[in-house]
Each structure stands twice: as structure tokens, then as C-alpha cells.
Amino acid sequence: MRPGDVLHLTRAASVQFIRPIAVRVIRVLTDRHTYDCWLWIDAYELDAAGDAVRRRTLFLMPAGATRLEPGPRRPAPRRPIPGRVVVA
């Protein structure tokens, strides 16, 4: 599991996921002690459009997580430069 991975988490990953969720991994928290085959991650919970809706710290079994292909990345909105006229 690496930063940027998009995961589908169900009860197979942990009993806390009664309602399955999709997350994007920020980092694996290696400084926390866990049971064998379990780990802590920081992640963004994703909505149906693939947008981050909240940040979460999760305890899960990676073997129960399913990797998803990340959706297409939308370009960031362009901000106008003050004092400059933009011609489209």
C-alpha cells in the first residue's frame, strides 16, 4: 500500500466498514503498533465523483482492501492574475 493508492474498503478490511467506502491513501502510519497483518493509514474518503470529502485515520487489514483504478484527474481551476485580461 502506497500514497496515492485508491482503495475500496468493506467489512473484509475491517468490521468498521459496514457501509463500504473508497479512500485515497495519504500515508501508512508505521509508527503505530498493530496486530500482525493490520495497519494504520491516513486517507481521504472519496465521494462517488472521486473527490475527497474528508480526511480519516483508519485501522484496517490490507488483505481485505481492494485496489481501484484512480479516476481521471481534473485540471485545477485557473485563477486569473490580478490586472491581466484573459482572452479566451
Side-chain angles (χ1 to χ4, degrees):
M1 191 166 306
R2 299 179 320 179
D5 284 351
V6 177
L7 306 174
H8 184 245
L9 302 176
T10 64
R11 291 181 68 100
S14 175
V15 295
Q16 67 184 309
F17 304 116
I18 295 169
R19 179 184 58 85
I21 64 171
V23 299
R24 183 180 308 113
V25 177
I26 299 169
R27 67 179 176 198
V28 176
L29 302 171
T30 58
D31 59 335
R32 295 196 181 186
H33 299 287
T34 66
Y35 297 105
D36 287 338
C37 302
W38 289 77
L39 56 82
W40 285 94
I41 63 169
D42 274 340
Y44 290 114
E45 185 174 349
L46 306 176
D47 64 11
D51 294 325
V53 291
R54 71 180 182 166
R55 185 173 176 160
R56 299 187 61 179
T57 299
L58 303 168
F59 184 60
L60 60 99
M61 185 182 307
T66 305
R67 264 195 188 87
L68 300 174
E69 290 296 318
R73 307 249 359 205
R74 291 182 294 215
R78 295 179 65 181
R79 294 187 209 156
I81 300 170
R84 181 175 281 182
V85 176
V86 178
V87 179

